[in-house]
Every structure is written in structure tokens, then in C-alpha cells.
Amino acid sequence: MAKKLVIKVTAGTDAPERCSQAFTVAAVAAASGVEVSLWLTGESTWFALPGRAAEFELPHAAPLPDLIDGILTGGGTITVCTQCAARREIEEKDLIEGARIAGAQVFVSEIMPDGVQALVY
């Protein structure tokens, strides 16, 4: 089993099932003791802002705020893509506690070591 799981979410409310799957897998992995790094790109970037995850609804899916809490309390990290944040005029000070902004070089450095599994939703 991978020692670290890096998940990149490319969808938000534009593809709610794909978005929810990514957050669910990340939260389950974190709860299972896997080191998790969740990357928010594209429309999922908005969920790093306070209150925005609570606006997301998908029948029969866990609420995004609960999944985010599970990721962060399970020792996981949440990162917003630098370019995606800039296009939406989001700054680090705007993010929920525990989230950060970083670019492709950090993403690549996270996915390249042995023992890392990367998934893209």
C-alpha cells in the first residue's frame, strides 16, 4: 500500500459526483491512517474558502465540510493551485484554516517519491 496518497480534484459544482468522490476518497484514506495531500484545482478551488463547502450538495454523499474536517484532523493537507487561486483572485489569507496555496513544482515533488500514489478526479 502507498505510504502517501496525493489526490488532485479538478471538478467542483460543475461535476459534483467527481468532486465528491475525490473528497470522500481523501477523507477515508486519512481516517485509515494514510498520509493524504488533497490538491484543489479548477472549480474545486472555491471549496478552500470559508463557507463554500457548506453550499455544495449532492444526494447520498457526505457533506464536504465533514470530509474536509476529516482530512485535516486526520493529518492530511489541502493545497490550492497557485494559478487557479490567482485566476479567482484568492489569496492565502482567504483560505480556510489548514489550507495553503502552492504550485506545480510542489505537486511534482509530492508525487515523485517512491511509495506515493497519485489520483486525479
Side-chain angles (χ1 to χ4, degrees):
M1 176 154 80
K3 293 182 168 93
K4 181 174 184 175
L5 179 61
V6 179
I7 299 175
K8 181 183 273 194
V9 190
T10 63
T13 58
D14 56 328
E17 288 181 313
R18 191 163 25 116
C19 176
S20 179
Q21 290 169 358
F23 280 87
T24 300
V25 168
V28 169
S32 300
V34 175
E35 182 184 352
V36 173
S37 175
L38 181 69
W39 281 73
L40 306 181
T41 68
E43 288 301 299
S44 70
T45 301
W46 294 114
F47 299 129
L49 297 178
R52 293 299 286 267
E55 297 172 5
F56 180 87
E57 292 184 14
L58 181 64
H60 310 290
L64 281 191
D66 294 349
L67 297 173
I68 290 170
D69 184 58
I71 294 162
L72 293 173
T73 60
T77 60
I78 295 179
T79 305
V80 174
C81 161
T82 301
Q83 292 181 17
C84 299
R87 280 189 282 277
R88 290 159 181 81
E89 299 181 356
I90 297 171
E91 299 178 12
E92 194 119 9
K93 66 178 177 57
D94 301 323
L95 303 179
I96 59 174
E97 186 175 341
R100 66 178 178 163
I101 295 175
Q105 71 281 8
V106 176
F107 179 77
V108 170
S109 73
E110 284 191 16
I111 65 170
M112 292 310 296
D114 290 337
V116 176
Q117 174 68 53
L119 301 174
V120 177
Y121 285 88

